[in-house]
């Protein structure tokens, strides 16, 4: 039998920087004076408004319903007044339709329940519908609607469910704290997920730097359930689905393929906890756990933050150094540097990392490729980032996709991280992929 000591090929070991928040319990964040909710908070069609300006809403009420299969509803994170429906800023720099919601300061903020999903009585399709109605998307950062990910395509089957508690991104400790503090929700979530997918067994994958979480979950494993906890060595990007499947099962997901092609479904551990927490009450997601950390933050921690809380308010509450020079949503490897503090926390926000001037070097000078091969040794998918970088420079996008598997690249940034010539390889690949996608639809 394969042991958890095995891992995927290549990868890197950036400094983990998790010790300042991994021991800090999750704390509730206060309501901002104005909540800003973009309707597009997930991959797929944005939710469709069902309320109007001037309306009073109750916490948990649906504000916008799903608009098609690849879409989920948006729930009120707070009881309050819909002040305005107009454009709101997003992390991409584009404006999108959104809701400005003013909380009622004296309200009890009791949460409205919907249709509970009874685990024993519900069919797999009822559970998928319940997950969609709860507005759940991948909380690991991908924001892909979870019900769509769980739907097993005709002709395929799921034998193993993997719960992803890896959290390999430096600085972030959200999933770590969720595993330590929400084990009951996680195990209940797993039961819903096993029924929905038909999986015969579940493996919770955890990196060795969270041994306390692995020990706790092992201690509390429900009796007579085919659920196990496996600890894997620390290596970035172990949390990527394909890498984790290789580490835990020794299986390779084919190029351009999905986990279900090897009969596996992978779900993030915080998403699993939300399913276990919300479905028994028929509730929608209103808040999420976020790590706020980095050298520029005064009150670092793991916070339960209402969706729609403006980033500027978050930073005011935790206190930031005056010399702050860069704010990342997500971690430093796969997160995005924020250009506008008026954007808000959305369902896919897993962390906020703040750097001050000392940590952000001036952009290093880019030198020509010296063909050292370090990027090839780092790439977990055994792509050839050096060759892809050269092709990107000369705009040979089709060749990148057809001969060098560019579309398999999941932008982990390992190649850029190790490049001694500071070539911004991952930025080249992001841009090349978006050009290829645009050309396809043109
Ligand atoms: S960003 Fe893409 S090419 Fe670079 S190491 Fe990651 S998967 Fe490989
Ligand atoms: S790591 Fe940088 S310098 Fe080395 S082969 Fe790759 S692109 Fe070239």
């Amino acid at each position: 039998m394969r042991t958890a000591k095995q891992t995927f090929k290549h990868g890197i070991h950036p400094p983990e920087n998790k010790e300042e928040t991994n021991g800090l319990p999750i704390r509730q964040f206060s309501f901002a004076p104005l909540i800003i909710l973009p309707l597009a908070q997930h991959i797929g069609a944005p939710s469709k408004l069902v309320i109007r300006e001037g309306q009073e809403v109750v916490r948990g009420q649906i504000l916008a319903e799903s608009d098609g299969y690849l879409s989920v509803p948006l729930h009120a994170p707070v009881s309050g007044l819909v002040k305005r429906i107009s454009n709101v800023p997003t992390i991409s720099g584009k404006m999108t339709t959104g809701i400005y919601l003013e909380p009622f300061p004296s309200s009890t903020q009791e949460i409205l329940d919907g249709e509970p999903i009874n685990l024993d009585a519900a069919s797999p399709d009822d559970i998928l519908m319940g997950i969609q109605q709860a507005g759940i998307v991948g909380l690991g950062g991908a924001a892909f609607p979870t019900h769509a990910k769980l739907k097993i395509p005709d002709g395929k089957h799921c034998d193993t469910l993997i719960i992803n508690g890896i959290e390999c991104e430096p600085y972030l400790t959200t999933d770590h704290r969720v595993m330590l503090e929400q084990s009951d929700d996680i195990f209940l979530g797993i039961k819903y997920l096993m029924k929905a997918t038909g999986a015969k067994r579940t493996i919770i994958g955890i990196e060795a730097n969270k041994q306390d979480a692995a020990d706790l979950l092992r201690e509390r494993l429900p009796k007579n359930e085919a659920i196990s906890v496996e600890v894997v060595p620390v290596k970035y990007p172990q949390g990527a689905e394909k890498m984790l499947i290789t580490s835990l099962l020794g299986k390779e997901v084919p190029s351009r393929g999905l986990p279900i092609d090897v009969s596996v479904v992978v779900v993030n551990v915080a998403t699993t906890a939300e399913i276990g927490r919300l479905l028994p009450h028929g509730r929608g997601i209103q808040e999420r756990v976020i790590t706020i950390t980095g050298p520029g933050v005064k009150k670092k921690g793991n916070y339960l933050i209402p969706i729609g809380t403006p980033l500027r308010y978050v930073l005011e509450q935790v206190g930031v150094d005056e010399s702050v020079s860069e704010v990342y949503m997500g971690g430093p490897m796969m997160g995005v540097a924020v250009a506008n503090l008026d954007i808000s926390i959305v369902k896919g926000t897993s962390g906020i990392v703040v750097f001050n001037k000392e940590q952000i070097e001036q952009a290093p000078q880019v030198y020509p490729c010296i063909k050292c091969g370090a990027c090839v040794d780092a790439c977990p998918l055994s792509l050839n980032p050096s060759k892809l970088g050269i092709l990107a420079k000369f705009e040979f996008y089709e060749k990148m996709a057809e001969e060098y598997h560019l579309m398999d690249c999941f932008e982990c940034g390992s190649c850029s991280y190790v490049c001694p010539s500071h070539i911004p390889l991952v930025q080249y690949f992001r841009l090349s992929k978006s050009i290829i996608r645009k050309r396809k639809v043109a």
Side-chain angles (χ1 to χ4, degrees):
M1 197 183 121
R2 193 177 173 85
T3 74
K5 298 257 177 322
Q6 298 183 53
T7 180
F8 64 96
K9 281 194 221 141
H10 304 167
I12 58 172
H13 293 90
E16 294 169 35
N17 291 315
K18 291 176 185 272
E19 59 293 338
E20 288 199 86
T21 55
N22 60 10
L24 300 177
I26 299 165
R27 278 178 286 170
Q28 181 75 49
F29 216 76
S30 57
F31 290 119
L34 193 63
I35 297 284
I36 305 172
L37 295 156
L39 298 184
Q41 295 208 19
H42 52 265
I43 291 171
S47 325
K48 203 169 61 186
L49 277 170
V50 292
I51 44 100
R52 51 178 166 52
E53 282 184 2
Q55 188 172 334
E56 293 185 359
V57 296
V58 180
R59 191 173 181 205
Q61 178 178 337
I62 291 184
L63 303 178
E65 59 188 20
S66 58
D67 191 14
Y69 183 64
L70 204 56
S71 182
V72 296
L74 178 65
H75 298 78
V78 61
S79 298
L81 178 71
V82 177
K83 290 288 282 184
R84 215 165 80 222
I85 295 169
S86 61
N87 276 342
V88 301
T90 66
I91 196 162
S92 70
K94 289 189 193 144
M95 300 295 276
T96 183
T97 307
I99 302 166
Y100 290 80
L101 181 59
E102 191 178 82
F104 292 139
S106 52
S107 145
T108 60
Q109 295 298 344
E110 214 170 299
I111 303 169
L112 197 69
D113 282 1
E115 199 69 37
I117 305 293
N118 179 315
L119 176 63
D120 297 320
S123 69
D125 279 344
D126 293 339
I127 295 173
L128 294 187
M129 177 83 81
I131 290 172
Q132 182 176 19
Q133 276 310 309
I136 297 173
V137 301
L139 299 185
F144 188 83
T146 302
H147 68 281
K149 179 178 190 171
L150 296 172
K151 180 79 188 160
I152 311 298
D154 288 345
K156 310 262 181 200
H157 80 285
C158 169
D159 64 39
T160 306
L161 171 69
I162 292 180
I163 303 301
N164 189 346
I166 297 295
E167 199 170 46
C168 58
E169 182 73 56
Y171 284 100
L172 304 191
T173 56
T174 301
D175 292 348
H176 190 168
R177 292 311 310 179
V178 166
M179 289 190 282
L180 287 172
E181 298 180 43
Q182 300 177 2
S183 58
D184 289 348
D185 293 337
I186 292 170
F187 289 126
L188 187 51
I190 288 173
K191 287 183 189 168
Y192 278 108
L193 288 168
M194 287 181 82
K195 192 159 184 192
T197 57
K200 298 283 170 290
R201 63 167 174 168
T202 294
I203 304 172
I204 306 174
I206 301 178
E207 265 191 341
N209 56 6
K210 304 171 202 57
Q211 189 63 49
D212 54 349
D215 292 343
L216 181 128
L217 291 178
R218 268 190 190 134
E219 243 170 59
R220 298 191 179 175
L221 277 176
K223 303 268 176 292
N224 308 321
E225 301 281 350
I227 306 174
S228 61
V229 176
E230 296 280 351
V231 177
V232 293
V234 176
K235 188 162 71 161
Y236 180 88
Q238 185 102 244
E241 288 187 347
K242 291 184 179 181
M243 309 310 68
L244 185 54
I245 291 170
T246 303
S247 292
L248 291 174
L249 303 173
K251 291 183 176 179
E252 301 271 346
V253 178
S255 171
R256 310 296 298 272
L258 294 170
I260 198 62
D261 296 328
V262 292
S263 307
V264 177
V265 168
V266 184
V267 181
N268 165 268
V269 74
T271 313
T272 306
E274 280 305 300
I275 290 170
R277 200 168 66 85
L278 300 175
L279 262 59
H281 306 282
R283 285 183 180 164
I285 188 165
Q286 312 119 41
E287 53 198 1
R288 60 154 303 154
V289 182
I290 297 176
T291 305
I292 305 177
T293 187
V297 174
K298 293 187 179 141
K299 286 186 246 162
K300 300 177 181 59
N302 295 290
Y303 295 94
L304 189 60
I305 301 192
I307 308 288
T309 304
L311 179 58
R312 192 182 294 282
Y313 177 82
V314 172
L315 297 180
E316 277 164 15
Q317 297 301 302
V318 297
V320 290
D321 281 355
E322 278 170 17
S323 64
V324 160
S325 69
E326 203 142 57
V327 178
Y328 273 75
M329 272 218 181
M333 294 300 292
M334 291 191 76
V336 180
V338 168
N340 179 354
L341 296 186
D342 294 321
I343 61 171
S344 41
I345 303 300
V346 290
K347 294 176 185 176
T349 311
S350 53
I352 296 169
V353 187
V354 181
F355 296 99
N356 46 27
K357 284 209 179 74
E358 293 93 75
Q359 289 85 37
I360 301 287
E361 304 165 18
Q362 291 300 313
Q365 189 174 345
V366 176
Y367 294 99
C369 172
I370 54 170
K371 305 219 164 28
C372 65
C375 56
V376 180
D377 289 341
C379 179
L381 293 179
S382 300
L383 302 179
N384 187 337
S386 153
K387 183 77 186 176
L388 281 165
I390 293 164
L391 291 171
K393 207 166 151 192
F394 292 103
E395 301 180 6
F396 288 139
Y397 302 121
E398 274 69 28
K399 189 166 176 157
M400 291 172 79
E402 281 153 28
E403 293 178 35
Y404 290 89
H405 307 286
L406 172 71
M407 301 320 265
D408 280 343
C409 164
F410 61 99
E411 301 167 21
C412 70
S414 300
C415 50
S416 309
Y417 182 82
V418 297
C419 177
S421 293
H422 308 298
I423 301 171
L425 294 161
V426 70
Q427 280 86 340
Y428 287 175
F429 304 157
R430 264 183 209 146
L431 185 67
S432 306
K433 283 164 78 176
S434 87
I435 291 170
I436 291 168
R437 282 194 199 106
K438 274 190 196 135
R439 282 186 184 171
K440 269 199 181 143
V441 290

